[in-house]
Amino acid sequence: MTGKGRAPADGVQRRPAVTLDALVRAGLVVLERDGLDALSMRSVAAELGVRAPSLYWHVRDKEELLDLLADGLLGIGVPALPPIRGDWRVELRELAWAFRAFLNRRRDSVRVLMGRFPAGPGMAAVMEHQLAMLDRAGFGRQDAAYITYGLSTLVTGFVYGEQRPISAAVVAGVPVREAVTAIGDTIAAFPADTYPHLVATARELTGPHIDDRFEFVLERFLDGLAVLPRNPKPDGGGTTTAAEEG
C-alpha cells in the first residue's frame, strides 16, 4: 500500500508536489541510467527537481517505489504483447521470448520484477491478456493462474541467471564465451575415474548457446502444459496436436 493521500502532521491535505505518473517516469529514468543500486528516494527526487520528502505523498519508502516501478515496467511492455490467435503454445512461446528480450533490454528490470507482484494498471493489462489467451485455449482458472506464475518465474529466473557473471574471469573482463570454454576445459580435465559422467558431459554442459538453453527449458515447460485438461472455446481456442498430446 502506498502513501498516496496521506495527510501531513498538521492534518491539512495539500496538493502533491509531483504526480504519480511523473514519479514513476522519473524512477524508470534513474533505473535505466544509473541502475537499481543507485536508485533511491533522493535520486528520484533529484530527477524530478524536488526534495525527497515531496515523494512521500505517493510512497512510504524505496520498497513502495519499487512496487510502482515494477508495474510501470510491465506497462511499458503492453504494446509488445503477442496477439491472441488461437494457438496457446505459439502464443505462450512468443510471450516468453518477448518478455526475455524486454528484460535484457532494460537495465536491472529483472531485479525489480523478480518475485514482485505489483497491483496496478501495467500488471492488470499484462495479466488480463495472458488469462484471456489461456481461457480461450480452454485451461481451467486455477491452471491458468499457475501457468502465469510459472511462466513469469521461468523467464525472470532464467534472465537473472544469464545476466549474472558466470565467473570471476568475466568480472575481470574475459569474454563470456571464452570463460565458458575455459570452464569446460577444467571440467574435462577432472579425473574420469572419479567423475565419469561429469567429464563425459563437459562439452554439453558448457557448449550450447544461451538461446538454445532457453529454448530447451521453455519447450519442456510447454510440453508439460500440454497434458493438462482443456476445454477450448468454440470460436477457436486452438487445437491439440499429436505432439502436444505426448
Side-chain angles (χ1 to χ4, degrees):
M1 181 177 179
T2 68
K4 184 178 180 182
R6 291 196 191 95
D10 59 11
V12 178
Q13 288 282 7
R14 300 187 179 91
R15 184 183 299 276
V18 296
T19 66
L20 182 61
D21 287 344
L23 170 61
V24 173
R25 287 195 301 270
L28 292 174
V29 168
V30 174
L31 179 68
E32 182 67 26
R33 183 187 64 219
D34 303 327
L36 180 59
D37 293 336
L39 180 77
S40 66
M41 301 288 279
R42 187 183 299 274
S43 64
V44 175
E47 179 66 25
L48 287 163
V50 300
R51 299 182 64 184
S54 300
L55 307 186
Y56 294 130
W57 180 278
H58 298 294
V59 292
R60 193 186 310 271
D61 52 27
K62 182 177 178 179
E63 288 303 318
E64 288 193 355
L65 175 61
L66 289 175
D67 284 347
L68 293 177
L69 297 190
D71 194 71
L73 285 167
L74 291 176
I76 291 171
V78 169
L81 290 171
I84 300 175
R85 296 187 295 264
D87 187 328
W88 66 267
R89 184 162 187 144
V90 170
E91 291 158 3
L92 286 180
R93 180 185 297 118
E94 291 177 350
L95 184 64
W97 281 96
F99 188 30
R100 175 175 172 242
F102 175 80
L103 294 175
N104 276 318
R105 283 196 305 270
R106 298 196 66 91
R107 183 177 182 180
D108 284 342
S109 58
V110 70
R111 293 176 61 195
V112 174
L113 286 168
M114 190 173 182
R116 195 172 289 268
F117 196 158
M123 177 282 298
V126 172
M127 293 288 284
E128 178 64 23
H129 178 89
Q130 188 168 341
L131 291 171
M133 174 194 305
L134 295 168
D135 178 69
R136 186 178 184 188
F139 289 100
R141 287 183 180 176
Q142 187 61 72
D143 283 345
Y146 284 144
I147 291 167
T148 59
Y149 172 78
L151 190 66
S152 173
T153 302
L154 185 156
V155 178
T156 55
F158 189 95
V159 172
Y160 182 79
E162 73 175 302
Q163 289 184 357
R164 301 295 297 166
I166 197 168
S167 67
V170 172
V171 176
V174 175
V176 174
R177 185 67 261 171
E178 184 178 330
V180 171
T181 299
I183 292 171
D185 292 341
T186 299
I187 293 174
F190 282 8
D193 55 343
T194 305
Y195 307 104
H197 300 94
L198 178 60
V199 170
T201 316
R203 301 309 171 191
E204 286 77 13
L205 288 170
T206 58
H209 189 275
I210 194 69
D211 288 348
D212 296 331
R213 296 168 187 258
F214 182 72
E215 180 180 18
F216 179 87
V217 173
L218 174 61
E219 292 303 319
R220 300 299 74 77
F221 175 78
L222 298 176
D223 288 343
L225 300 186
V227 306
L228 294 175
R230 292 192 297 116
N231 183 25
K233 304 301 182 187
D235 63 342
T239 57
T240 303
T241 67
E244 291 170 350
E245 290 288 356

